[in-house]
Amino acid sequence: MEDSSSLDDLLMASATAVEAGDMVNASAILEKIDSIVLDGITCGRYGAVGSSSFDHLACYFASSLRTGIARARTECHPLALASRLPAYQMLQELSPFIKFAHFTANQAILEATLDEGGVHVVDLNVGDGVQWSSLMSDLLRHGGSKPFRLTAVGSTTVTATPGRWLSEFAESLGLPFRYDEVEDLHKLTEIICGGSSVILSCDATGMSHTLAMDTSQTLPLLTGVIKVLQPKLVILIEDELSRLGRTPPPPLAGGASFVELFSEAWCHFAAVQESLASCFSGAGYKARLRLVEEEILGPSIEGAITATWPPHGSMTGGTDAGPVASNGFPGSGYRTCEISGFNIVQAKMLAGLFSRGFGVLHDKKGRLALCWKDRPLTSVSVWSPV
């Protein structure tokens, strides 16, 4: 098997050819990668079954380049929820990714609604709704039978709507609960009027959610909903690549090339994969790790790479709104606010339950990040009106 540096070089060479518009050469290099990694190996949708995790990572990046070259971009895989649920449940049980995002967001909601008579959350990516069963339990412990209302924006594509099982769960707790779905943003104002203050939640990640959002559409959608709702609080869960797209640091601040973004994505997902391997170590866990790689890591990589397409010239994050300053969304009137000390301690305790490579970064600007060996992987930020 070829060493990791050779695969690195080939992937970067293919990305460089793509950026230059030389799709013939880029495709030839991808065929070389295939011959190295896939020879004699059974292939899944995004990569190889068998071989090393590093080979799988190379397969996922090669597949993502090939998807872009073929202009076969998809905003959401049709089989995403049905096929990803088992992998998602494993990820939730054996790694801190999902728990970190949900626990941090829920604690911020609890603190923001402490004096409210009820809690109303508008969720831009509700998925299977597992986050909100956890919040229901927290509400019961902190506020007795405080009513909870959840409004899901957009179609869920879930075969069994989360509203049904969440309603059953709330009934078992004796918690007043209402669930609504709204596909048209203009209809939000029709059902959201009076009552408790609105909390806006947006989970745009692929690692902590059953359905990853198209990151190029996250900012315009979020800004539009903020203008309509004027929520009391906005909670944004995103991976580090999405955040860098919004607030690119030097030397990316002037606009990153496709190769630079590709290289950053490679480093990010290599860290993600290494952290996952630490969570799924030991006999009996190899098959579970492969399922998580196939159903979650692979699609997340494809989404990150194709979100930067077409790869000509510099990139600034893929939205017409441009990069977002670290202290607010453009034109929204919202700024990041401080995360409580209790929330920070809770996140650190959670990270400590897993591999020693996990840690928590608090940048004192309303962002709390789950890290692997000091590299931020996913973060939760909290925003309030100026």
Side-chain angles (χ1 to χ4, degrees):
M1 194 66 63
E2 199 90 352
D3 62 34
S4 61
S5 61
S6 297
L7 287 175
D8 283 350
D9 292 341
L10 286 170
L11 282 168
M12 294 307 163
S14 182
T16 300
V18 166
E19 183 175 69
D22 186 356
M23 302 305 173
V24 173
N25 190 34
S27 297
I29 296 172
L30 291 176
E31 290 180 5
K32 173 67 173 175
I33 294 174
D34 287 348
S35 67
I36 293 172
V37 179
L38 302 183
D39 185 25
I41 298 174
T42 301
C43 297
R45 180 176 181 184
Y46 291 96
V49 178
S51 75
S52 70
S53 291
F54 186 88
D55 293 334
H56 290 193
L57 190 68
C59 282
Y60 302 142
F61 272 86
S63 175
S64 299
L65 284 172
R66 191 175 291 107
T67 296
I69 291 172
R71 294 296 190 268
R73 179 177 178 181
T74 56
E75 296 188 5
C76 183
H77 304 288
L79 301 178
L81 190 66
S83 63
R84 289 178 67 168
L85 270 176
Y88 175 77
Q89 290 166 350
M90 292 177 191
L91 188 68
Q92 183 179 26
E93 294 173 4
L94 298 174
S95 83
F97 281 95
I98 297 171
K99 291 184 176 73
F100 168 81
H102 291 177
F103 288 3
T104 304
N106 287 353
Q107 182 60 34
I109 293 172
L110 288 172
E111 293 169 356
T113 58
L114 190 61
D115 299 325
E116 297 280 347
V119 178
H120 187 181
V121 174
V122 174
D123 192 341
L124 298 187
N125 192 18
V126 70
D128 64 356
V130 68
Q131 175 180 355
W132 307 120
S133 60
S134 175
L135 179 61
M136 288 180 189
S137 299
D138 291 337
L139 287 171
L140 199 65
R141 287 196 299 268
H142 288 81
S145 58
K146 181 183 290 189
F148 175 44
R149 183 179 178 187
L150 177 63
T151 301
V153 177
S155 57
T156 63
T157 72
V158 182
T159 52
T161 173
R164 179 176 178 178
W165 81 265
L166 285 173
S167 297
E168 293 173 351
F169 183 75
E171 184 177 359
S172 71
L173 297 178
L175 186 76
F177 176 66
R178 174 179 172 181
Y179 179 84
D180 296 292
E181 286 186 9
V182 180
E183 294 191 20
D184 188 347
L185 292 183
H186 298 291
K187 294 183 179 179
L188 273 176
T189 54
E190 297 178 10
I191 68 168
I192 299 176
C193 54
S196 57
S197 301
V198 173
I199 306 294
L200 180 60
S201 174
C202 179
D203 185 342
T205 68
M207 293 302 298
S208 68
H209 216 282
T210 48
L211 291 174
M213 297 182 70
D214 180 351
T215 54
S216 67
Q217 299 301 317
T218 302
L219 178 58
L221 175 62
L222 192 58
T223 303
V225 176
I226 287 175
K227 290 179 178 179
V228 171
L229 297 184
Q230 294 297 301
K232 180 176 184 177
L233 203 70
V234 177
I235 298 175
L236 177 61
I237 304 171
E238 57 188 340
D239 61 41
E240 185 66 5
L241 285 178
S242 298
R243 194 188 71 83
L244 288 177
R246 294 195 301 103
T247 58
L252 304 184
S257 70
F258 176 72
V259 173
E260 289 171 324
L261 292 174
F262 186 89
S263 177
E264 185 64 31
W266 173 262
C267 294
H268 171 79
F269 284 108
V272 169
Q273 186 188 53
E274 186 180 6
S275 72
L276 288 175
S278 75
C279 296
F280 288 78
S281 60
Y285 286 96
K286 187 174 183 180
R288 298 183 185 185
L289 175 60
R290 293 297 175 261
L291 181 62
V292 170
E293 288 179 347
E294 174 85 8
E295 302 297 346
I296 296 179
L297 187 64
S300 296
I301 291 172
E302 181 176 302
I305 299 304
T306 56
T308 66
W309 222 269
H312 302 296
S314 63
M315 314 290 172
T316 57
T319 70
D320 294 334
V324 180
S326 61
N327 63 343
F329 292 103
S332 70
Y334 281 70
R335 301 173 62 91
T336 52
C337 57
E338 185 59 80
I339 291 178
S340 72
F342 180 87
N343 213 343
I344 296 170
V345 171
Q346 174 181 262
K348 290 181 177 179
M349 289 180 62
L350 174 65
L353 296 176
F354 296 87
S355 169
R356 285 181 292 179
F358 284 106
V360 173
L361 169 68
H362 176 226
D363 64 5
K364 300 186 183 301
K365 293 181 180 179
R367 181 174 77 106
L368 200 61
L370 178 68
C371 303
W372 174 253
K373 296 181 178 179
D374 297 326
R375 183 182 181 89
L377 301 180
T378 187
S379 65
V380 179
S381 56
V382 181
W383 307 70
S384 61
V386 176

